[in-house]
Amino acid sequence: MFESLQERLGAILNGLTGRGALSEADVSAALREIRRALLEADVALEVVRSFTDRVREKAVGAEIVKSIKPGQMVVKIVHDELIEMLGSESSTVDLNAPAPVVIMMVGLQGSGKTTTSGKIALRLTSRDRKKVLMASLDTRRPAAQEQLRQLGVQTGVDTLPIIQGQSPVDIAARAVQAAKLGGHDVVILDTAGRTHIDEPLMMEMAEIKRKSNPHEILLVADALTGQDAVNLARNFDERVGITGLVLTRMDGDGRGGAALSMRAVTGKPVKLIGAGEKMTELEEFHPRRIADRILGMGDIVSLVEKAAETIDAEKAAAMAQKMAKGKFDLGDLAEQLKQMQNMGGMGGIMGMMPGMSGMKDKLAGAGFDDKAIKRQIAIISSMTKAERANPDILKHSRKKRIAAGSGTDAAEINKVLKMHRGMADMMKAMGGGKGGGMMKQMMGGLANKMGLGGLGGGMGGMGGMPDLSKMDPKQLEALAKQAEASGFRPGGGMPGLGGGLPGLGGPKLPGLGGGFPGLPRKK
């Protein structure tokens, strides 16, 4: 998401922050590059002009040019204007209305309305504990109604029984009536789309709106739509009156210009974004976090939230207690790798970490990407319980069997063993007497970040320990030395990973290569 824009803006703004002073010519040159980067990201021309004009107006002021760090001030101005363009406040689906609350999904054919309807229904059911009824109003596309029914079965959400020959307007009226009788909190109307905007489509949408009186009208748009996204949003807003936007396929779009354009043109908030094909991969749109991500500042809040969603408190306590004693076997490593996958893989995590957005390609070049993680999990899964607990018994014949079972070779098995040995040594050093209880402090800080501070006894009393970021400088220095002794070199790599994870081996996030310590995958 926003990868190309992130790279271009990052390079431009890094050039500004590296200078001691900025002239008006420097600012103008940077703005020309920013304008080009936004246009290449498919942001609408009118939106780009407005954005660069506002930045120029603020950036060429005397107080900016004469400030101590003018480059950083320009970055802040660009950041603030990006937030303004995306919408200063995040907005969620509004359910503040008498039940049943009607949500009407509109958009062109192929934008992902039906799948998004299922995702929203699952989200409202599982997170907000709402009773939801879904109804397909698409009588033209073959099997469209059956598709929604199957999604209902898959997610455990009620769907309106299909009656052949009914018009979309009649189905909408029947859905609202059925929801009232069935005690449903929310009705989601999945309307029909067209390959392009036409008069019959708009008339049908207007009639459905009149009949069902929806509280929310969400325009579902493909993030790959590009420049035409502006016309699409404007037409639907003028004719039907949308209340919010949902952008799909954000995971597959390196540009993301539609997100910037549609919000700026319609003034309607982007409420949700589809981040993948799975029914659970639907995220709230937070303008500030997205702006941070675009400018390479990371998105630690979303990263922590993702981790918290997959936490099993009891397993987290058990894992933390085990690590505090310096124990870390191959089974634990596999759990950490699975945790990483659940949080979006290496690319997803790196994209949310400050200053790490450009690491994805470097990691892939070093042979450590999401495919490598899958291979490592396959290798460990091909081992017996005894082998995972005691890797020393893995001789040639056992490795040959594991390689055949995982579709890998002895060299890859050795890499996994080397990585585990380095991490296990570090855990032992940090958890034992030499570390002075540093592992406990680190785990306690992490537990507090994740909202697990009350685990107390379950984590060996670590819940109240100080945050890693607040540790004494001498302790951090000692921790760094321990990390280096175990093969985790600051600015270097992780054991067994060749180029590994540059910059992650030091005291900031020890053991990141296996996920977050103490946060095993929820089952």
Side-chain angles (χ1 to χ4, degrees), residues 279-322:
M279 295 305 291
T280 53
E281 291 179 324
L282 187 72
E283 300 176 5
E284 288 182 7
F285 187 86
H286 297 279
R288 184 171 293 277
R289 297 185 198 177
I290 295 293
D292 287 349
R293 224 182 288 185
I294 290 174
L295 295 184
M297 297 176 183
D299 185 3
I300 289 296
V301 178
S302 292
L303 187 60
V304 170
E305 284 180 355
K306 268 193 173 182
E309 285 176 7
T310 58
I311 287 176
D312 182 306
E314 290 183 10
K315 289 191 76 176
M319 178 74 83
Q321 199 169 38
K322 193 174 179 182

Short mmCIF file of all heavy atoms in Angstrom, two decimals, residues 279-322:
data_model
loop_
_atom_site.label_atom_id
_atom_site.label_comp_id
_atom_site.label_asym_id
_atom_site.label_seq_id
_atom_site.Cartn_x
_atom_site.Cartn_y
_atom_site.Cartn_z
N MET A 279 -11.53 -13.00 4.80
CA MET A 279 -12.70 -12.28 5.32
C MET A 279 -12.36 -11.41 6.54
O MET A 279 -13.09 -10.48 6.86
CB MET A 279 -13.80 -13.28 5.70
CG MET A 279 -14.35 -14.05 4.51
SD MET A 279 -14.96 -12.97 3.18
CE MET A 279 -16.39 -12.25 3.97
N THR A 280 -11.27 -11.71 7.20
CA THR A 280 -10.87 -10.92 8.37
C THR A 280 -10.00 -9.72 8.00
O THR A 280 -9.72 -8.88 8.84
CB THR A 280 -10.08 -11.80 9.36
OG1 THR A 280 -9.00 -12.43 8.66
CG2 THR A 280 -10.98 -12.89 9.96
N GLU A 281 -9.58 -9.64 6.73
CA GLU A 281 -8.63 -8.60 6.32
C GLU A 281 -9.36 -7.32 5.88
O GLU A 281 -9.39 -6.96 4.71
CB GLU A 281 -7.70 -9.14 5.23
CG GLU A 281 -6.76 -10.19 5.77
CD GLU A 281 -5.84 -10.78 4.73
OE1 GLU A 281 -6.27 -10.95 3.57
OE2 GLU A 281 -4.69 -11.09 5.07
N LEU A 282 -9.96 -6.69 6.87
CA LEU A 282 -10.63 -5.39 6.68
C LEU A 282 -10.17 -4.49 7.82
O LEU A 282 -10.26 -4.86 8.99
CB LEU A 282 -12.15 -5.57 6.72
CG LEU A 282 -12.99 -4.34 6.38
CD1 LEU A 282 -12.92 -4.03 4.90
CD2 LEU A 282 -14.45 -4.57 6.78
N GLU A 283 -9.64 -3.33 7.50
CA GLU A 283 -9.08 -2.44 8.52
C GLU A 283 -9.78 -1.09 8.53
O GLU A 283 -10.27 -0.63 7.50
CB GLU A 283 -7.58 -2.22 8.27
CG GLU A 283 -6.74 -3.47 8.30
CD GLU A 283 -5.28 -3.19 7.94
OE1 GLU A 283 -4.93 -1.98 7.75
OE2 GLU A 283 -4.50 -4.14 7.84
N GLU A 284 -9.78 -0.47 9.70
CA GLU A 284 -10.26 0.91 9.79
C GLU A 284 -9.20 1.82 9.16
O GLU A 284 -8.02 1.52 9.17
CB GLU A 284 -10.48 1.30 11.25
CG GLU A 284 -11.69 0.62 11.87
CD GLU A 284 -11.92 1.06 13.31
OE1 GLU A 284 -11.21 1.99 13.77
OE2 GLU A 284 -12.78 0.48 13.98
N PHE A 285 -9.66 2.93 8.61
CA PHE A 285 -8.76 3.87 7.95
C PHE A 285 -8.44 5.00 8.92
O PHE A 285 -9.31 5.77 9.29
CB PHE A 285 -9.43 4.42 6.68
CG PHE A 285 -8.53 5.28 5.84
CD1 PHE A 285 -7.69 4.72 4.90
CD2 PHE A 285 -8.54 6.67 5.97
CE1 PHE A 285 -6.87 5.52 4.10
CE2 PHE A 285 -7.72 7.47 5.19
CZ PHE A 285 -6.88 6.88 4.25
N HIS A 286 -7.17 5.07 9.33
CA HIS A 286 -6.74 6.14 10.25
C HIS A 286 -5.83 7.10 9.48
O HIS A 286 -4.68 6.76 9.17
CB HIS A 286 -5.98 5.55 11.44
CG HIS A 286 -6.80 4.65 12.30
ND1 HIS A 286 -7.65 5.12 13.27
CD2 HIS A 286 -6.92 3.30 12.32
CE1 HIS A 286 -8.25 4.10 13.87
NE2 HIS A 286 -7.83 2.98 13.31
N PRO A 287 -6.33 8.30 9.14
CA PRO A 287 -5.54 9.25 8.33
C PRO A 287 -4.14 9.52 8.85
O PRO A 287 -3.18 9.51 8.08
CB PRO A 287 -6.40 10.52 8.36
CG PRO A 287 -7.79 10.03 8.60
CD PRO A 287 -7.65 8.85 9.50
N ARG A 288 -4.01 9.76 10.15
CA ARG A 288 -2.69 10.09 10.70
C ARG A 288 -1.71 8.92 10.54
O ARG A 288 -0.56 9.09 10.19
CB ARG A 288 -2.82 10.48 12.17
CG ARG A 288 -1.50 10.92 12.82
CD ARG A 288 -1.73 11.49 14.20
NE ARG A 288 -2.47 12.74 14.16
CZ ARG A 288 -1.90 13.92 13.93
NH1 ARG A 288 -0.60 14.02 13.74
NH2 ARG A 288 -2.63 15.02 13.91
N ARG A 289 -2.22 7.71 10.80
CA ARG A 289 -1.36 6.53 10.69
C ARG A 289 -0.95 6.30 9.23
O ARG A 289 0.20 5.94 8.96
CB ARG A 289 -2.08 5.29 11.22
CG ARG A 289 -2.43 5.36 12.69
CD ARG A 289 -3.02 4.04 13.14
NE ARG A 289 -3.75 4.16 14.40
CZ ARG A 289 -4.41 3.17 14.97
NH1 ARG A 289 -4.44 1.98 14.39
NH2 ARG A 289 -5.05 3.34 16.11
N ILE A 290 -1.90 6.49 8.31
CA ILE A 290 -1.59 6.30 6.89
C ILE A 290 -0.56 7.34 6.43
O ILE A 290 0.38 7.02 5.69
CB ILE A 290 -2.87 6.40 6.03
CG1 ILE A 290 -3.83 5.25 6.36
CG2 ILE A 290 -2.52 6.39 4.54
CD1 ILE A 290 -3.33 3.88 5.98
N ALA A 291 -0.72 8.58 6.89
CA ALA A 291 0.24 9.64 6.55
C ALA A 291 1.62 9.29 7.09
O ALA A 291 2.63 9.49 6.40
CB ALA A 291 -0.23 10.99 7.11
N ASP A 292 1.67 8.78 8.31
CA ASP A 292 2.94 8.35 8.90
C ASP A 292 3.59 7.27 8.03
O ASP A 292 4.79 7.29 7.77
CB ASP A 292 2.73 7.78 10.30
CG ASP A 292 2.42 8.87 11.32
OD1 ASP A 292 2.58 10.05 10.98
OD2 ASP A 292 2.02 8.54 12.45
N ARG A 293 2.74 6.33 7.56
CA ARG A 293 3.27 5.22 6.77
C ARG A 293 3.78 5.72 5.42
O ARG A 293 4.81 5.27 4.93
CB ARG A 293 2.16 4.18 6.57
CG ARG A 293 2.64 2.75 6.77
CD ARG A 293 1.55 1.75 6.50
NE ARG A 293 0.54 1.72 7.52
CZ ARG A 293 -0.47 0.85 7.54
NH1 ARG A 293 -0.56 -0.05 6.57
NH2 ARG A 293 -1.37 0.87 8.49
N ILE A 294 3.04 6.65 4.79
CA ILE A 294 3.45 7.17 3.48
C ILE A 294 4.80 7.88 3.58
O ILE A 294 5.64 7.76 2.69
CB ILE A 294 2.38 8.16 2.93
CG1 ILE A 294 1.11 7.39 2.53
CG2 ILE A 294 2.91 8.92 1.73
CD1 ILE A 294 -0.04 8.29 2.12
N LEU A 295 5.03 8.59 4.67
CA LEU A 295 6.28 9.33 4.83
C LEU A 295 7.37 8.51 5.52
O LEU A 295 8.39 9.03 5.93
CB LEU A 295 6.03 10.63 5.62
CG LEU A 295 5.14 11.65 4.90
CD1 LEU A 295 5.03 12.92 5.72
CD2 LEU A 295 5.65 11.96 3.51
N GLY A 296 7.13 7.18 5.66
CA GLY A 296 8.14 6.30 6.22
C GLY A 296 8.36 6.46 7.71
O GLY A 296 9.40 6.08 8.24
N MET A 297 7.37 7.04 8.40
CA MET A 297 7.50 7.23 9.85
C MET A 297 6.99 6.02 10.63
O MET A 297 7.02 6.00 11.84
CB MET A 297 6.72 8.48 10.28
CG MET A 297 7.24 9.75 9.66
SD MET A 297 6.20 11.18 10.11
CE MET A 297 7.00 12.47 9.17
N GLY A 298 6.48 5.03 9.91
CA GLY A 298 5.99 3.83 10.58
C GLY A 298 4.59 3.99 11.13
O GLY A 298 3.99 5.06 11.06
N ASP A 299 4.08 2.89 11.65
CA ASP A 299 2.73 2.88 12.22
C ASP A 299 2.70 1.87 13.36
O ASP A 299 2.09 0.81 13.28
CB ASP A 299 1.71 2.51 11.14
CG ASP A 299 0.26 2.60 11.62
OD1 ASP A 299 0.07 2.99 12.79
OD2 ASP A 299 -0.65 2.27 10.87
N ILE A 300 3.42 2.22 14.42
CA ILE A 300 3.57 1.30 15.55
C ILE A 300 2.23 0.99 16.21
O ILE A 300 1.98 -0.12 16.66
CB ILE A 300 4.55 1.89 16.59
CG1 ILE A 300 5.97 1.86 16.03
CG2 ILE A 300 4.50 1.11 17.89
CD1 ILE A 300 6.53 0.48 15.77
N VAL A 301 1.32 1.98 16.24
CA VAL A 301 0.01 1.77 16.89
C VAL A 301 -0.74 0.63 16.21
O VAL A 301 -1.25 -0.29 16.87
CB VAL A 301 -0.84 3.06 16.86
CG1 VAL A 301 -2.19 2.80 17.50
CG2 VAL A 301 -0.12 4.18 17.59
N SER A 302 -0.80 0.66 14.87
CA SER A 302 -1.49 -0.42 14.14
C SER A 302 -0.77 -1.74 14.31
O SER A 302 -1.40 -2.80 14.39
CB SER A 302 -1.57 -0.07 12.64
OG SER A 302 -2.43 1.02 12.43
N LEU A 303 0.56 -1.69 14.39
CA LEU A 303 1.34 -2.91 14.59
C LEU A 303 0.99 -3.55 15.93
O LEU A 303 0.77 -4.76 16.03
CB LEU A 303 2.83 -2.59 14.52
CG LEU A 303 3.81 -3.76 14.54
CD1 LEU A 303 3.59 -4.68 13.36
CD2 LEU A 303 5.24 -3.25 14.54
N VAL A 304 0.93 -2.72 16.97
CA VAL A 304 0.58 -3.22 18.30
C VAL A 304 -0.85 -3.75 18.32
O VAL A 304 -1.14 -4.79 18.91
CB VAL A 304 0.76 -2.10 19.36
CG1 VAL A 304 0.17 -2.51 20.71
CG2 VAL A 304 2.24 -1.77 19.54
N GLU A 305 -1.76 -3.03 17.64
CA GLU A 305 -3.16 -3.49 17.59
C GLU A 305 -3.26 -4.84 16.89
O GLU A 305 -4.01 -5.72 17.33
CB GLU A 305 -4.02 -2.46 16.86
CG GLU A 305 -4.34 -1.24 17.71
CD GLU A 305 -5.19 -0.23 16.96
OE1 GLU A 305 -5.46 -0.41 15.76
OE2 GLU A 305 -5.59 0.76 17.59
N LYS A 306 -2.51 -5.02 15.80
CA LYS A 306 -2.53 -6.30 15.10
C LYS A 306 -2.03 -7.41 16.01
O LYS A 306 -2.57 -8.51 16.02
CB LYS A 306 -1.65 -6.22 13.85
CG LYS A 306 -2.38 -5.81 12.59
CD LYS A 306 -1.55 -6.08 11.37
CE LYS A 306 -2.36 -5.83 10.10
NZ LYS A 306 -1.59 -6.13 8.89
N ALA A 307 -0.96 -7.12 16.74
CA ALA A 307 -0.42 -8.13 17.66
C ALA A 307 -1.44 -8.45 18.75
O ALA A 307 -1.66 -9.62 19.09
CB ALA A 307 0.88 -7.62 18.28
N ALA A 308 -2.07 -7.41 19.28
CA ALA A 308 -3.03 -7.60 20.38
C ALA A 308 -4.22 -8.45 19.94
O ALA A 308 -4.77 -9.22 20.74
CB ALA A 308 -3.51 -6.25 20.89
N GLU A 309 -4.62 -8.34 18.67
CA GLU A 309 -5.77 -9.11 18.18
C GLU A 309 -5.49 -10.60 18.15
O GLU A 309 -6.40 -11.41 18.19
CB GLU A 309 -6.16 -8.64 16.77
CG GLU A 309 -6.89 -7.31 16.76
CD GLU A 309 -7.18 -6.83 15.35
OE1 GLU A 309 -6.93 -7.59 14.40
OE2 GLU A 309 -7.67 -5.70 15.20
N THR A 310 -4.21 -10.97 18.05
CA THR A 310 -3.87 -12.39 17.94
C THR A 310 -3.30 -12.96 19.24
O THR A 310 -2.84 -14.09 19.26
CB THR A 310 -2.85 -12.61 16.80
OG1 THR A 310 -1.68 -11.83 17.06
CG2 THR A 310 -3.44 -12.22 15.47
N ILE A 311 -3.33 -12.17 20.30
CA ILE A 311 -2.76 -12.62 21.57
C ILE A 311 -3.69 -13.63 22.25
O ILE A 311 -4.89 -13.42 22.35
CB ILE A 311 -2.54 -11.43 22.53
CG1 ILE A 311 -1.36 -10.59 22.05
CG2 ILE A 311 -2.28 -11.91 23.96
CD1 ILE A 311 -1.13 -9.36 22.88
N ASP A 312 -3.10 -14.68 22.71
CA ASP A 312 -3.77 -15.59 23.64
C ASP A 312 -3.09 -15.33 24.97
O ASP A 312 -1.92 -15.68 25.17
CB ASP A 312 -3.59 -17.04 23.19
CG ASP A 312 -4.32 -18.01 24.10
OD1 ASP A 312 -4.07 -17.94 25.31
OD2 ASP A 312 -5.12 -18.81 23.60
N ALA A 313 -3.79 -14.69 25.92
CA ALA A 313 -3.16 -14.22 27.16
C ALA A 313 -2.46 -15.34 27.92
O ALA A 313 -1.35 -15.16 28.43
CB ALA A 313 -4.22 -13.55 28.04
N GLU A 314 -3.09 -16.51 28.01
CA GLU A 314 -2.50 -17.61 28.78
C GLU A 314 -1.21 -18.10 28.11
O GLU A 314 -0.20 -18.34 28.78
CB GLU A 314 -3.50 -18.76 28.91
CG GLU A 314 -4.67 -18.43 29.83
CD GLU A 314 -5.61 -19.62 30.00
OE1 GLU A 314 -5.24 -20.73 29.56
OE2 GLU A 314 -6.70 -19.43 30.56
N LYS A 315 -1.26 -18.25 26.78
CA LYS A 315 -0.06 -18.71 26.08
C LYS A 315 1.03 -17.65 26.12
O LYS A 315 2.22 -17.97 26.19
CB LYS A 315 -0.41 -19.05 24.62
CG LYS A 315 -1.26 -20.30 24.48
CD LYS A 315 -1.35 -20.76 23.04
CE LYS A 315 -0.08 -21.43 22.59
NZ LYS A 315 -0.17 -21.95 21.22
N ALA A 316 0.63 -16.38 26.08
CA ALA A 316 1.61 -15.29 26.15
C ALA A 316 2.32 -15.33 27.50
O ALA A 316 3.54 -15.16 27.58
CB ALA A 316 0.91 -13.94 25.96
N ALA A 317 1.55 -15.56 28.58
CA ALA A 317 2.14 -15.63 29.92
C ALA A 317 3.09 -16.81 30.03
O ALA A 317 4.20 -16.68 30.56
CB ALA A 317 1.02 -15.74 30.96
N ALA A 318 2.66 -17.97 29.49
CA ALA A 318 3.50 -19.16 29.57
C ALA A 318 4.79 -18.98 28.78
O ALA A 318 5.88 -19.35 29.23
CB ALA A 318 2.72 -20.37 29.05
N MET A 319 4.67 -18.39 27.58
CA MET A 319 5.85 -18.16 26.74
C MET A 319 6.80 -17.17 27.39
O MET A 319 8.02 -17.37 27.40
CB MET A 319 5.41 -17.63 25.37
CG MET A 319 6.56 -17.32 24.42
SD MET A 319 7.34 -18.79 23.76
CE MET A 319 6.22 -19.16 22.40
N ALA A 320 6.26 -16.11 27.96
CA ALA A 320 7.10 -15.10 28.61
C ALA A 320 7.84 -15.69 29.80
O ALA A 320 9.02 -15.40 30.01
CB ALA A 320 6.23 -13.92 29.06
N GLN A 321 7.15 -16.52 30.55
CA GLN A 321 7.76 -17.15 31.73
C GLN A 321 8.89 -18.08 31.29
O GLN A 321 9.96 -18.13 31.91
CB GLN A 321 6.69 -17.94 32.50
CG GLN A 321 7.07 -18.25 33.94
CD GLN A 321 5.87 -18.78 34.70
OE1 GLN A 321 5.07 -19.53 34.17
NE2 GLN A 321 5.76 -18.38 35.96
N LYS A 322 8.65 -18.80 30.20
CA LYS A 322 9.65 -19.72 29.66
C LYS A 322 10.89 -18.96 29.19
O LYS A 322 12.03 -19.35 29.46
CB LYS A 322 9.03 -20.50 28.50
CG LYS A 322 9.82 -21.71 28.05
CD LYS A 322 9.03 -22.47 26.99
CE LYS A 322 9.81 -23.68 26.49
NZ LYS A 322 9.06 -24.39 25.42
#
